Amino acid sequence: MQGAVRSFLSHGNVVKTAVLQQIRLANPQMRPAMFSCFTTSANSANIEEHGFESTTIDDILKAKGKSADGSWLWCTTDDTVYDAVQSMTQHNVGALVVVKPAEQNSIAGIITERDYLRKIIVQGRSSKSTKVGDIMTEENKLITVTPDTKVLRAMQLMTDNRIRHIPVIDDKGMKGMVSIGDVVRAVVSEHREELNRLNAFIQGGY
């Protein structure tokens, strides 16, 4: 997955360039000035407002909804690792936000399947007697984003740091969490919509 994401980030603009070249081929009668005008506006106003880099993390959270699996799943530092893993399995997610007891909006860290494998299974520890706070990635080591972070930026952060889940935090506290799967789906959808708009231009829809 990480390799595919790196390739996508490196070559994402190739898709846009190829489609713009296709416009030239499909519309050879277009005057250069007209095409220049289109590409200028497409690369600025239209694409900035609706295109390749417009989707934010907040858009993903809204699409998932507060009740969606993975959006607001959490455990506390005092929960056992066994209970945390059981919750992950039940909701089919790979990570949980960890909060301090009685402070749901105060993030203390994050626990992932990777933490369980490396710090419990490999070390031969008991998940039923080990607290989440003992193996979690602590807050000061977390990579986080804000609701306003662009999806492509979040994808870059996750790829560079080899992580699959990233907490979303604003000035009021914890907002949710997104996975690399959420981010990839959003980017693919964004590119598909932009290609549809460019195709509509080719077909005379604009």
Side-chain angles (χ1 to χ4, degrees):
M1 172 67 82
Q2 296 286 358
V5 171
R6 279 193 292 271
S7 177
F8 190 91
L9 286 169
S10 299
H11 302 95
N13 284 332
V14 173
V15 177
K16 179 171 65 178
T17 301
V19 174
L20 293 175
Q21 290 174 344
Q22 179 62 30
I23 293 174
R24 284 196 183 97
L25 296 174
N27 298 271
Q29 74 277 14
M30 293 176 65
R31 296 194 304 272
M34 182 184 296
F35 183 77
S36 175
C37 178
F38 167 74
T39 54
T40 299
S41 62
N43 284 326
S44 55
N46 196 29
I47 289 179
E48 273 301 313
E49 181 180 1
H50 302 291
F52 288 93
E53 298 181 1
S54 65
T55 304
T56 65
I57 292 299
D58 191 48
D59 293 326
I60 293 179
L61 291 179
K62 287 178 180 177
K64 292 176 71 171
K66 290 185 178 181
S67 61
D69 285 352
S71 292
W72 294 87
L73 296 177
W74 53 273
C75 61
T76 75
T77 52
D78 288 343
D79 288 336
T80 65
V81 174
Y82 178 86
D83 288 336
V85 172
Q86 193 173 47
S87 180
M88 283 189 251
T89 302
Q90 178 183 349
H91 295 93
N92 195 30
V93 297
L96 295 176
V97 170
V98 183
V99 300
K100 299 173 183 177
E103 297 182 36
Q104 184 176 343
N105 288 326
S106 179
I107 184 170
I110 186 175
I111 182 172
T112 68
E113 294 170 325
R114 188 178 298 175
D115 292 323
Y116 174 65
L117 290 172
R118 291 181 175 179
K119 301 173 184 178
I120 296 295
I121 299 298
V122 172
Q123 296 181 19
R125 299 166 71 179
S126 169
S127 64
K128 291 187 176 182
S129 61
T130 304
K131 300 293 186 181
V132 168
D134 294 334
I135 71 164
M136 68 180 185
T137 300
E138 296 179 351
E139 179 188 9
N140 59 357
K141 297 179 181 178
L142 285 180
I143 306 296
T144 64
V145 293
T146 69
D148 293 333
T149 301
K150 296 295 176 66
V151 166
L152 287 177
R153 173 57 180 162
M155 179 185 282
Q156 188 73 61
L157 284 171
M158 297 171 85
T159 303
D160 291 346
N161 292 280
R162 297 181 178 275
I163 57 177
R164 294 182 296 167
H165 302 85
I166 194 163
V168 185
I169 300 174
D170 65 8
D171 54 0
K172 296 180 180 179
M174 183 71 194
K175 298 294 292 184
M177 184 160 58
V178 296
S179 69
I180 189 66
D182 296 326
V183 170
V184 169
R185 282 190 292 273
V187 172
V188 169
S189 175
E190 189 174 72
H191 279 67
R192 184 181 298 113
E193 290 174 5
E194 185 60 29
L195 290 176
N196 288 340
R197 281 190 289 272
L198 292 173
N199 186 59
F201 176 84
I202 294 172
Q203 300 300 325
Y206 279 88

